[in-house]
Amino acid sequence: MSTVSHTFSDSATMLRRNLLHMVRYPSMTLLLFGMPIIFLLLFVYVFGGTLGAGLGGASGGRAEYLRYVIPGILMMTLAAVSQGTAVSIAMDMTEGIIARFRTMAISRASVMTGHVLGSILQALIGLTLVIGIAVLLGFRPNAGLTDWLALIGVLALISLALTWLTVAMGMASKTVESASNVPMPLTLLPFLGSGFVPTDSMPAGLRWFAEYQPFTPFIETIRGLLVGTPIGSSGWQTVAWSLGIALLGYVWARRLYDRDPSR
Amino acid sequence: MTTAPTPPASRARAAGSAAPAIRAAGLRKSYGDQTVLDGIDLVVPAGTIFALLGPNGAGKTTTVQILSTLIRADDGDLRVAGHDLSREPDAVRGAIGVTGQFSAVDNLLTGEENLLLMADLRHLGRRVRRQRAAELLARFDLEDAATKPAATYSGGMRRRLDLAMTLVGNPEIIFLDEPTTGLDPRSRRSMWQIIRDLVAGGVTIFLTTQYLEEADQLADRIALLDHGKLVAEGTPAELKRLVPGGHIQLHFPTAIEYAAAARLLGDVVRDDDALTLQVPSDGGVHSLRALLDQLDNASVEVGELSVHTPDLDDVFLALTGREPATDQVKEPIR
Ligand SMILES: Nc1ncnc2c1ncn2[C@@H]1O[C@H](COP(=O)(O)OP(=O)(O)OP(=O)(O)O)[C@@H](O)[C@H]1O
Ligand SMILES: [Mg+2]
């Protein structure tokens, strides 16, 4: 038997299972995408005029703010999708079929890998949707082909990190309700970073937090790739944070899955 | 470990002289300070049906969960399909199929998709998987519901799908935790037939049940589990022999007839008030005829006659002190 090839084929099988779930019950996915889209509209049309003026750019106003807020909204989309991941894995763990999987000779991590890969695909669809709407609203990215490819890679990497983390959170939750609450802070982190306003407009303590939390380099990297602002050290910080969070989430989730289900 | 589907016939032959399919020695499990399994020993020869019989909370599900690698035992030397449970759980998993007490189907998928999912996880080839799914849908009478989500299935259909999913990889040992609980009499009979067919194909079955009749009908060997201990183990016939419950009950119209019969028959259980005698008997036609001839020859008139053969209810009562069904209390007077 070849363990490695089974790890791949079992994960692919579980991915197909999760995609079928999403196709069959699209309401959850639509709900997840709804929130960032509403925030996009809200921030651009309600707050955009004032906040855009505060950015102090040449053109100022709503158009300027739309350009500024997109990365924050993209991060919010990733956070929403991973919150959904926590809920769906927690729901899945209550299903009898998980007990069946545990008595089968399949790769141990494959159930979770299926959720993670499914969520990454879901996230990429959501991100495309958000960028598409932003373009309709007048957003004009100036990214070249390599920027776009790098952007897809970076977003997928961040999504990988966040979903492994929320898979573990979902597994650690006793109930489906708590699984939907635990990852809530992830949705707030774009606000407590450079997602909606520049961090140097914040009071000292908050600014310190905003500059050192991972979402700020994530957002700065995405912004740099989309509209050409300087990326600087955000690039490698994004890679390091993502790999670190992904590894932590993976190890934590594996331990929870291998834990004796009777305890 | 791809379980390349072994033709059942060759497996049966191979299993003939081989090690037992399941062997447990000193199996223990507790939850907190509640001891659920308190040193279970059992051996299930390959190609046979073993029934674990016990009331609610006896520890049946816990035993199945341990032997099927779902949870870990606290102690015990446990081997399934020749592999040690704690050292080679994946080798065990490759050899077994489990249908738990509670439904283990994916409710969001259709019946067919559930079977294909199992085929993929059993690493069956591209062509084989569809064929196997179609075959099982037909065998379990699920063809009409094949493309409907399992969430819409009735309890009986779900149970059948559950077992069909277990069979996808042609497991050599199958665990069935209360396979017929909640089924109507017709479905129960067809489930029994399916189980018999599986064993005829060389599979080993470990099943649990609360139904004494079911164990009696199906099992080669039965173990009675009560409060985490096996209180008896043997063939259905052996278990029945453990209780001296078989007798013929005679009721007499008058005290005179009653006294005459009691004198004539000698070693019987008497009930002077009810004018009934219980004569020990195997309940067979020969002993019945002999008894009636004996009474006829002495011209003793019998009012009513009834035959009581010992069943597993009696075994249960005798061994656990609780009765699963009420029976008249025997009152030996001598
Ligand atoms: N996860 C658990 N945590 C604590 N106690 C448990 C757990 N699982 C089972 N038990 C206890 O172990 C005992 C045996 O349970 P088990 O489910 O094995 O019984 P059973 O024979 O299958 O009963 P039933 O016929 O009702 O299915 C029960 O007293 C139950 O309360
Ligand atoms: Mg049970």
Side-chain angles (χ1 to χ4, degrees), chain A residues 261-263, chain B residues 29-32 34-37 52-65 71 101-102 177-178 181 208-210 225 228:
Chain A
S262 68
R263 300 209 179 260
Chain B
K29 174 80 183 175
S30 24
Y31 286 115
Q34 183 198 2
T35 303
V36 176
L37 297 176
L52 188 62
L53 182 64
N56 288 140
K60 302 184 294 297
T61 298
T62 306
T63 308
V64 168
Q65 287 176 335
I71 63 176
Q101 182 171 1
F102 305 104
D177 196 0
E178 303 197 17
T181 301
T208 76
T209 179
Q210 304 184 30
L225 184 64

Side-chain angles (χ1 to χ4, degrees), chain B residues 1-259:
Chain B
M1 67 231 49
T2 313
T3 6
T6 321
S10 71
R11 194 160 59 208
R13 249 179 279 122
S17 58
I22 303 170
R23 179 198 293 279
L27 167 55
R28 273 171 215 289
K29 174 80 183 175
S30 24
Y31 286 115
D33 51 13
Q34 183 198 2
T35 303
V36 176
L37 297 176
D38 192 9
I40 304 274
D41 302 303
L42 54 87
V43 175
V44 182
T48 66
I49 304 184
F50 182 91
L52 188 62
L53 182 64
N56 288 140
K60 302 184 294 297
T61 298
T62 306
T63 308
V64 168
Q65 287 176 335
I66 290 173
L67 293 176
S68 63
T69 76
L70 188 60
I71 63 176
R72 283 183 272 274
D74 295 341
D75 193 17
D77 182 17
L78 311 172
R79 299 184 73 80
V80 173
H83 303 286
D84 186 280
L85 267 177
S86 54
R87 265 175 292 155
E88 303 172 278
D90 259 345
V92 172
R93 292 182 184 125
I96 64 171
V98 188
T99 301
Q101 182 171 1
F102 305 104
S103 154
V105 307
D106 190 322
N107 285 311
L108 305 189
L109 303 187
T110 66
E112 185 179 30
E113 285 164 350
N114 266 292
L115 291 169
L116 291 174
L117 174 67
M118 290 299 116
D120 291 340
L121 293 175
R122 286 288 199 162
H123 311 116
L124 301 188
R126 283 244 149 258
R127 262 182 318 112
V128 188
R129 63 197 280 276
R130 293 233 158 250
Q131 197 184 318
R132 189 84 183 115
E135 192 181 296
L136 286 163
L137 285 169
R139 178 163 166 201
F140 286 87
D141 200 15
L142 289 169
E143 280 164 312
D144 294 339
T147 55
K148 299 203 180 82
T152 65
Y153 282 21
S154 74
M157 289 160 75
R158 187 184 303 267
R159 204 80 196 132
R160 294 205 298 277
L161 176 61
D162 214 326
L163 182 55
M165 286 166 73
T166 302
L167 300 186
V168 168
N170 283 317
E172 55 186 278
I173 301 171
I174 297 179
F175 292 91
L176 303 172
D177 196 0
E178 303 197 17
T180 65
T181 301
L183 296 188
D184 64 27
R186 198 182 130 262
S187 310
R188 169 168 304 168
R189 263 165 216 290
S190 69
M191 182 65 81
W192 287 356
Q193 194 50 49
I194 288 163
I195 293 173
R196 290 194 184 103
D197 291 345
L198 285 170
V199 172
V203 168
T204 307
I205 307 254
F206 184 106
L207 66 85
T208 76
T209 179
Q210 304 184 30
Y211 301 111
L212 310 155
E213 189 204 353
E214 181 161 284
D216 197 4
Q217 283 278 335
L218 290 176
D220 296 301
R221 296 190 78 77
I222 300 173
L224 253 70
L225 184 64
D226 188 48
H227 288 121
K229 283 202 166 81
L230 289 189
V231 290
E233 210 259 305
T235 63
E238 278 168 3
L239 288 186
K240 287 179 195 167
R241 236 173 275 141
L242 289 175
V243 282
H247 61 259
I248 293 167
Q249 182 162 303
L250 303 168
H251 176 74
F252 298 92
T254 67
I256 299 162
E257 305 276 352
Y258 171 75

Side-chain angles (χ1 to χ4, degrees), chain A residues 10 17 21 24 100 102, chain B residues 93 104 106 113 123 162:
Chain A
D10 292 345
R17 169 174 178 259
H21 285 183
R24 201 104 344 132
R100 182 187 285 282
R102 286 176 190 274
Chain B
R93 292 182 184 125
D106 190 322
E113 285 164 350
H123 311 116
D162 214 326

